[in-house]
Amino acid sequence: MFRLVSSNMAFFTHHIKRSFSSSAVRNVVIKNVTIIGGGQMGAGIAQVAASTGHSVTLVDMTDDILKKAMKGIQSSLRRVVKKTFSGDPESGDDFIQKVMQNVSTSTEPSAAIATSDLILEAIVENMKIKQDLFGFLDKMAPEHTIFASNTSSLPISDIASATSRPDRCAGLHFFNPVPLMKLVEVVATTSTSPETSESLLNFTKALGKTPVCCKDTPGFIVNRLLVPYMMEALRLHERGHASKEDIDTGMKLGAGYPMGPFELSDYVGLDTIKFIMDGWSKKEPDNPIFAPSQLLNKLVAEGKLGKKTLEGFYKYNK
Ligand code: CAA
Ligand code: NAD
């Protein structure tokens, strides 16, 4: 889908690139955002950005996926509005309508990209696919556009290497569910310019989130600690030392976690956890922390990816 670029578009983007001076590149106030990937993360980020007055284009492979994403945004907004406009349902409805107007969808990103201040990818956790996407979009985007990845575990510098703008590439790592989780990790590589980091810090604050800064280190802050914990729970269960239900209850009631590790794995997506683990164990095959889990691999091979497929470690109703 991203391979077709008309010669008109190439001409257009050439002129847009020329029209930005180098000072425009320095300080980017992010208003127009293109989000590539309308799955659970992309849709959540689109919702939060649109709710805070940003103009958002959500891009995915098919119209069906995008329709599902828009439906998900609407129902999540209803849950938010139930609380924030509890005494005034009419204003709540107006708010939802306004937010939905801030989001458009497309399976063809070139038009939106030509006016984007930020392109944020939230597609599948695969280096080659992310690099191909960024390499392709880099040729179309204006000079000032910042490229950010929501990757859970892949090196930002490797993704950025597919572009001609490593100084304007960074990690912007949101947490699931995006409308509720307050944190965003802003990840700077050795090439990310201070201006890019500052623009992204300002953007996350404009979204009402709390940013933390991190270097381009595997798993950044949260996943470096969280994913090995989830995998250790899995190994405990695989050794037959405790049931998944008891491990979940243990961590909720004994450690105060809102979800147990199996509930959380299902929530994140077992495919995403497997992608993270496979990447890390490839880099450090002898590190026992990154050892693969047969149970995780089996569930993913069976297409039991967690809540999004209605079955993972547990079964879910629609
Ligand atoms: N959109 C809007 N509102 C939502 C929502 C959503 N997607 N999900 C839940 N809510 C609202 C509910 O409507 C409910 O509102 P009320 O209080 O008005 O009833 C409220 O949030 C609480 O929801 P629930 O009662 O359904 O469930 P809960 O109390 O367990 O809270 C939760 C849900 C916030 C998800 C909580 O369980 C939690 O914090 N879980 C841990 C999540 C976590 O650790 N996320 C990080 C994952 S790792 C990651 O994201 C990084 C990575 O790279 C893999
Ligand atoms: P998901 O499977 O729910 O959604 C991914 C979406 O990307 C799908 O709709 C798919 O059709 C689309 N897609 C794939 N390749 C594409 C392409 N080339 N162009 C356009 N769209 C494409 O995945 P997710 O859970 O939203 O995760 C997305 C990214 O966010 C991953 O990098 C993941 O590691 C990261 N992440 C996930 C979580 C989580 O809890 N699930 C949290 C933080 C970060």
Side-chain angles (χ1 to χ4, degrees):
M1 71 178 269
F2 294 118
R3 300 203 185 282
L4 287 174
V5 194
S6 72
S7 54
N8 278 353
M9 184 53 70
F11 176 82
F12 183 45
T13 50
H14 171 74
H15 280 270
I16 286 173
K17 281 186 183 186
R18 280 163 55 98
S19 70
F20 281 95
S21 69
S22 57
S23 63
V25 171
R26 288 217 175 97
N27 282 306
V28 179
V29 177
I30 295 168
K31 284 304 288 176
N32 296 332
V33 184
T34 298
I35 297 169
I36 317 271
Q40 46 183 348
M41 295 307 292
I45 299 164
Q47 176 185 331
V48 171
S51 298
T52 47
H54 298 85
S55 171
V56 178
T57 304
L58 188 59
V59 176
D60 209 305
M61 315 274 261
T62 68
D63 287 325
D64 279 352
I65 299 175
L66 289 167
K67 256 185 221 151
K68 192 174 157 210
M70 292 299 271
K71 225 171 131 189
I73 293 174
Q74 191 143 23
S75 71
S76 175
L77 280 170
R78 271 195 222 107
R79 294 167 86 173
V80 171
V81 153
K82 221 169 126 190
K83 242 180 293 185
T84 44
F85 292 87
S86 59
D88 186 2
E90 261 181 39
S91 300
D93 288 345
D94 284 352
F95 175 75
I96 293 179
Q97 212 184 335
K98 274 191 196 132
V99 173
M100 295 309 285
Q101 278 167 2
N102 286 344
V103 190
S104 53
T105 59
S106 177
T107 54
E108 216 311 309
S110 22
I113 277 161
T115 56
S116 283
D117 304 311
L118 170 68
I119 296 172
L120 174 60
E121 72 77 17
I123 65 168
V124 62
E125 186 75 346
N126 177 298
M127 176 59 79
K128 170 91 175 62
I129 300 177
K130 287 185 194 286
Q131 281 179 332
D132 284 351
L133 176 71
F134 269 18
F136 176 73
L137 298 178
D138 180 50
K139 296 185 184 75
M140 295 197 285
E143 199 178 342
H144 79 290
T145 306
I146 294 174
F147 280 46
S149 170
N150 186 51
T151 178
S152 300
S153 65
L154 299 172
I156 303 297
S157 55
D158 289 358
I159 303 174
S161 70
T163 73
S164 63
R165 59 181 82 212
D167 57 319
R168 273 152 288 142
C169 289
L172 204 56
H173 187 220
F174 289 80
F175 292 82
N176 191 12
V178 181
L180 298 189
M181 303 305 280
K182 295 261 176 271
L183 189 75
V184 180
E185 291 172 327
V186 179
V187 182
T189 71
T190 49
S191 304
T192 307
S193 70
E195 292 80 8
T196 298
S197 293
E198 198 187 324
S199 299
L200 291 174
L201 285 169
N202 289 338
F203 175 62
T204 55
K205 288 177 199 157
L207 298 179
K209 302 292 185 193
T210 301
V212 289
C213 297
C214 184
K215 288 192 177 166
D216 190 18
T217 173
F220 316 128
I221 299 173
V222 175
N223 282 346
R224 186 62 184 83
L225 301 173
L226 188 63
V227 177
Y229 146 75
M230 294 197 282
M231 291 303 293
E232 198 50 26
L234 234 161
R235 289 187 201 108
L236 186 65
H237 173 53
E238 279 180 311
R239 288 196 298 270
H241 291 175
S243 70
K244 54 183 188 294
E245 291 81 3
D246 280 354
I247 296 171
D248 276 350
T249 302
M251 293 314 290
K252 283 189 285 188
L253 302 188
Y257 285 27
M259 287 175 170
F262 292 91
E263 292 168 328
L264 185 57
S265 298
D266 274 357
Y267 198 71
V268 165
L270 303 191
D271 52 340
T272 295
I273 294 181
K274 180 170 156 49
F275 285 133
I276 296 172
M277 288 307 296
D278 286 353
W280 287 351
S281 68
K282 206 168 149 195
K283 282 208 160 136
E284 291 186 44
D286 299 328
N287 189 337
I289 291 176
F290 302 142
S293 151
Q294 282 188 6
L295 178 56
L296 178 69
N297 290 350
K298 179 175 171 288
L299 289 169
V300 172
E302 290 169 354
K304 295 174 182 166
L305 308 182
K307 253 190 135 172
K308 64 184 167 187
T309 58
L310 303 181
E311 187 171 352
F313 291 113
Y314 299 108
K315 287 190 176 167
Y316 302 87
N317 295 322
K318 221 170 179 178

